[in-house]
Amino acid sequence: MIREIICNECSKKCILSMDKYENILEVKGNLCDRGIECAKLAISNKSDIFTTIVRIKGSNCNVVPVKSSKPLDKNLWIECSKVLSRIHVGAPVKMGNIICKNILNTGVDIVCTKNIDENTR
């Protein structure tokens, strides 16, 4: 399985291609050794901050960006997307407002990442 990520370990921002078979990780595209460490961390990491958008009512904007308050297991991301697709938030909302508390009983909240007023475009 080949997977691509952008390495954030240095200012070069290399695009890493990772292929893992059996217990061997093959990394291509790195311009420094820190890219290999970034690839190892990315391939073994089973959770990350979940980001998406939620629909909003009462504003010129149609959606508001949101994220999880803590890393969320990647196996739950599709289910979280389904839950959040049914939510409509009323304007105004402020950055840090909780949009969905304890999503899927994980103990993780979904919070707003942008201020939206009733007239914001």
Side-chain angles (χ1 to χ4, degrees), residues 93-104:
V93 291
K94 301 292 179 199
M95 192 180 327
N97 283 8
I98 295 176
I99 302 301
C100 181
K101 190 164 185 70
N102 192 20
I103 191 162
L104 299 175

Side-chain angles (χ1 to χ4, degrees), residues 7-14 32 34:
C7 178
N8 292 318
E9 294 296 315
C10 69
S11 61
K12 295 176 186 173
K13 306 293 183 214
C14 304
C32 66
R34 292 195 278 177

Side-chain angles (χ1 to χ4, degrees), residues 20-34:
K20 185 174 183 178
Y21 48 93
E22 295 179 13
N23 289 331
I24 300 170
L25 176 64
E26 182 181 340
V27 180
K28 294 181 183 176
N30 59 305
L31 298 176
C32 66
D33 291 335
R34 292 195 278 177

Side-chain angles (χ1 to χ4, degrees), residues 29-77:
N30 59 305
L31 298 176
C32 66
D33 291 335
R34 292 195 278 177
I36 296 171
E37 294 304 314
C38 178
K40 286 180 183 176
L41 181 64
I43 207 83
S44 66
N45 195 1
K46 303 252 188 264
S47 63
D48 203 354
I49 298 294
F50 174 69
T51 60
T52 188
I53 54 176
V54 172
R55 289 181 277 189
I56 189 165
K57 290 182 179 178
S59 175
N60 294 335
C61 295
N62 293 328
V63 294
V64 61
V66 296
K67 70 174 189 165
S68 60
S69 60
K70 299 181 216 171
L72 192 60
D73 189 340
K74 292 179 181 178
N75 293 330
L76 298 174
W77 285 13

